[in-house]
Amino acid sequence: MEAKDQLNILLPGTDLYPLGIEDASNAQISVSMFGFRLVQSSNDYGTVVTVLDSKSGQLLWAHIFYGDFGPHTIKLIDFDGDGRDDLWLLSGFEDVFASHLFLNRIDSDQFSLTSFVPGFASDEVYATLLDFNKDGYPEILFPRDNALIDPWEVYDITDAQCFKLSKEIVELVKKEYFRLVGRFDSANFDYNMDSYPVHALFVNNKIQVISKYPENKFVTNKYADHLKWRLEITKKRLSESSDSCKNVLSQRLE
């Protein structure tokens, strides 16, 4: 039975339709997404993410994202070192950004809402996957206040020009990004821009880093070399800034 047919049984009274978003799969699981709308309510609609057993086609898990901006990117990556791929999703459009991690907890060949459990969520940014310690498992980088200050067009921020980056700084940020990203570059959103590493490192924000391997914890202070790099970049930006911007940057970044 196809995923759509199984969903129709699970979600009666729902109109389901394919979204044309690239699926993700491995030898164990297959992930796909459908748009949905409740037949008797035009206000209840969104996206449903499904996980099926790759061999049997059995529906194992489903999760609903209500509203206009469901996931547009699916990646299967082992975050916690248990040998099973977890589910990394990026959602949004234009100025709406969200990131979700669901950890693989499949323990049977039957449907269960606990086959995947929440591991990380941000409804404010596309978080970035990096491999700081080169162990092959991703760390998640995101702004400490969970709100992005864009380096190109800063919306609703006083003294926005203070957060613009020089060409030299942009090149330094790109170099640091590719030093850290390892094999996870394709999992990070590129905004259809060559300069996406500038967004990915959140250089206009204080940051946090969380790891799921070998245990679930914040590890920001563990990577002193990157924190030192951020401090040096901030000092360089301060040295090149006007007096009025020095105070703005200092309060935001130091």
Side-chain angles (χ1 to χ4, degrees):
M1 186 181 297
E2 297 293 329
K4 184 177 179 181
D5 298 324
Q6 296 182 69
L7 280 175
N8 278 325
I9 296 173
L10 186 67
L11 302 171
T14 302
D15 180 25
L16 295 166
Y17 50 91
L19 293 174
I21 296 172
E22 184 177 357
D23 295 345
S25 64
N26 59 26
Q28 288 75 44
I29 58 175
S30 175
V31 186
S32 57
M33 292 188 288
F34 297 89
F36 77 90
R37 186 180 299 276
L38 296 184
V39 174
Q40 296 182 349
S41 173
S42 60
N43 294 322
D44 290 318
Y45 63 93
T47 303
V48 56
V49 179
T50 65
V51 175
L52 282 74
D53 185 290
S54 290
K55 294 180 180 178
S56 69
Q58 170 65 40
L59 181 66
L60 301 175
W61 181 79
H63 184 82
I64 290 175
F65 291 85
Y66 286 98
D68 294 314
F69 305 115
H72 53 68
T73 299
I74 311 170
K75 297 295 179 181
L76 293 174
I77 300 170
D78 183 4
F79 278 77
D80 55 6
D82 66 355
R84 302 183 294 181
D85 280 342
D86 306 303
L87 189 57
W88 179 248
L89 301 171
L90 299 179
S91 310
F93 183 72
E94 293 184 345
D95 59 347
V96 177
F97 314 109
S99 314
H100 292 88
L101 168 64
F102 293 94
L103 297 171
N104 189 333
R105 296 294 182 262
I106 296 173
D107 61 1
S108 77
D109 59 359
Q110 298 299 312
F111 178 85
S112 172
L113 290 176
T114 59
S115 289
F116 284 79
V117 299
F120 172 84
S122 169
D123 290 325
E124 300 291 339
V125 299
Y126 292 138
T128 301
L129 303 188
L130 300 170
D131 192 0
F132 282 95
N133 57 9
K134 309 304 180 188
D135 66 354
Y137 298 101
E139 288 80 44
I140 304 172
L141 175 77
F142 58 103
R144 186 182 302 179
D145 57 5
N146 218 18
L148 175 66
I149 294 183
D150 192 291
W152 307 121
E153 297 184 35
V154 187
Y155 301 100
D156 301 324
I157 298 291
T158 304
D159 298 318
Q161 74 279 1
C162 297
F163 295 97
K164 301 290 185 178
L165 304 180
S166 69
K167 291 182 179 179
E168 182 182 3
I169 295 294
V170 168
E171 292 306 312
L172 291 171
V173 174
K174 287 182 179 179
K175 183 178 180 180
E176 178 70 357
Y177 171 82
F178 287 111
R179 183 182 76 85
L180 296 173
V181 72
R183 64 185 181 90
F184 302 111
D185 182 47
S186 64
N188 296 325
F189 193 64
D190 65 9
Y191 301 87
N192 292 317
M193 299 170 61
D194 291 338
S195 58
Y196 70 92
V198 176
H199 299 265
L201 286 191
F202 306 112
V203 291
N204 281 330
N205 297 78
K206 296 177 181 178
I207 53 95
Q208 293 193 102
V209 181
I210 189 170
S211 174
K212 298 295 175 181
Y213 175 82
E215 55 185 316
N216 181 22
K217 62 181 180 179
F218 287 98
V219 293
T220 311
N221 293 331
K222 185 176 179 180
Y223 303 113
D225 56 340
H226 179 65
L227 296 179
K228 180 180 178 181
W229 175 87
R230 297 183 79 92
L231 180 59
E232 290 174 350
I233 288 293
T234 299
K235 288 180 177 179
K236 183 172 180 59
R237 293 174 69 184
L238 287 171
S239 71
E240 298 172 351
S241 297
S242 65
D243 290 340
S244 60
C245 283
K246 280 183 170 64
N247 186 51
V248 175
L249 287 171
S250 296
Q251 290 181 356
R252 183 71 194 180
L253 299 176
E254 289 190 324

